[in-house]
Amino acid sequence: MRIDVFTLFPEVFEPYLNLSILARARERGLLDVHLYNIRDWTTDKHRTVDDEPYGGGGGMVMKPEPIFAAVEDVLGRPPRAPVILMTPQGRPFTQEVAWQLSRLPRIALIAGRYEGLDERVREHLVTDELSIGDYVLTGGELPALVVIDAVTRLLPGVLGDPDAPLKDSFSQGLLEHPHYTRPAVFRGWSVPEVLRSGDHARIARWRREQSLRRTWERRPDLLARAPLTPEDRAYLATLGWRERSKPASSASDAEAPESSTN
Ligand code: ADE
């Protein structure tokens, strides 16, 4: 998969992209990231990328010309791949969106800075907008890295265990079960007996129940959309869950619609 990133700070990306799983994916040609500095497409001697907002008010706005020039130079006019703007106003970036993007041969990410971007970039260049959560960062660089990371680990061949992404939290609509490794007893805290029993059917049932319990306790909103078997429903009922119900104390609200900010 090829990912073209347009940013004013390409140097932010390299250290992270050169580590661990992402570095190996790049070495093996599974991920091809190209970083472009938007400033390289300015035409004035000060290499200006921002200007004051029409209508006044504080802050600066990123000018449209260098962004259009950069993206069209690299991707053609019109661009030959989805052009995704990282912004807190975008649709929520979820594991489902990561799966969808991972099936594309190529995407472009724009990491904005300053107070915002000239609206014409949004209207006439960008094809999708993504937010990584309801908070505001100083720029789209970290969000772009989040997208690259989440998408890359789903690309075929990137993770050693090809089934690993299917077991992740969210991939089955539930949070993952807890994990343990040696020692069997640490500071008096034991690994649950069932995990040492060697009884694979029992272990699978325990993990499924832990996953259901965690999701119910921490993210009951996910249960409303998760594919549940009759056994899952019966187990959840023992915890006090009923279709469309909430646990006694939970930060999440099962009924609230997905929201995005400003
Ligand atoms: N840029 C600044 N904050 C952001 C966020 N939460 N998601 C995506 N892009 C952003």
Side-chain angles (χ1 to χ4, degrees):
M1 179 175 190
R2 173 165 170 165
I3 305 182
D4 298 293
V5 182
F6 298 89
T7 169
L8 292 173
F9 300 99
E11 65 274 20
V12 167
F13 291 81
E14 284 294 350
Y16 193 76
L17 294 174
N18 288 335
L19 281 175
S20 180
I21 290 174
L22 297 189
R24 229 169 321 126
R26 293 177 85 188
E27 279 159 24
R28 293 166 60 206
L30 302 171
L31 171 68
D32 183 21
V33 180
H34 293 249
L35 302 171
Y36 300 100
N37 192 333
I38 295 166
R39 208 176 283 282
D40 292 341
W41 277 268
T42 53
T43 50
D44 63 313
K45 88 167 186 280
H46 299 294
R47 299 179 25 102
T48 312
V49 291
D50 61 340
D51 205 340
E52 291 162 1
Y54 271 111
M60 299 292 271
V61 176
M62 284 181 77
K63 294 164 64 61
E65 304 97 312
I67 302 176
F68 270 85
V71 172
E72 290 177 346
D73 227 16
V74 172
L75 288 134
R77 180 176 176 177
R80 285 187 293 270
V83 178
I84 303 169
L85 175 66
M86 303 313 302
T87 163
Q89 299 186 13
R91 64 189 177 112
F93 180 63
T94 60
Q95 191 68 14
E96 178 58 32
V97 175
W99 276 112
Q100 288 162 5
L101 296 182
S102 75
R103 295 183 192 112
L104 301 176
R106 184 175 184 180
I107 59 170
L109 301 175
I110 301 178
R113 274 267 148 179
Y114 303 111
E115 299 300 298
L117 238 72
D118 187 286
E119 187 64 14
R120 290 162 290 190
V121 173
R122 234 188 250 280
E123 285 175 350
H124 305 293
L125 185 66
V126 161
T127 58
D128 198 357
E129 301 179 35
L130 292 177
S131 165
I132 62 158
D134 290 347
Y135 40 80
V136 180
L137 303 171
T138 53
E141 286 76 20
L142 292 176
L145 274 173
V146 165
V147 170
I148 294 170
D149 187 300
V151 168
T152 300
R153 58 190 293 290
L154 301 179
L155 298 176
V158 167
L159 296 185
D161 172 6
D163 291 337
L166 300 174
K167 300 179 206 151
D168 289 337
S169 286
F170 306 115
S171 278
Q172 303 291 325
L174 299 173
L175 302 183
E176 226 190 333
H177 58 77
H179 300 270
Y180 294 88
T181 187
R182 278 181 279 270
V185 182
F186 170 67
R187 295 190 177 177
W189 301 309
S190 299
V191 172
E193 179 278 325
V194 54
L195 296 178
R196 293 183 282 156
S197 69
D199 181 340
H200 295 293
R202 240 181 101 214
I203 291 170
R205 196 165 59 246
W206 182 86
R207 286 182 166 161
R208 182 72 184 175
E209 289 180 359
Q210 289 292 315
S211 176
L212 291 163
R213 173 187 284 272
R214 277 210 165 177
T215 310
W216 167 236
E217 287 171 356
R218 300 176 184 207
R219 293 292 306 277
D221 56 306
L222 295 177
L223 284 181
R225 278 171 282 146
L228 300 174
T229 66
E231 291 76 34
D232 292 340
R233 288 167 197 280
Y235 175 70
L236 284 166
T238 68
L239 304 179
W241 170 86
R242 267 163 293 117
E243 215 92 25
R244 306 190 137 275
S245 70
K246 291 182 231 170
S249 71
S250 165
S252 307
D253 182 307
E255 309 303 314
E258 295 270 356
S259 64
S260 72
T261 50
N262 53 55

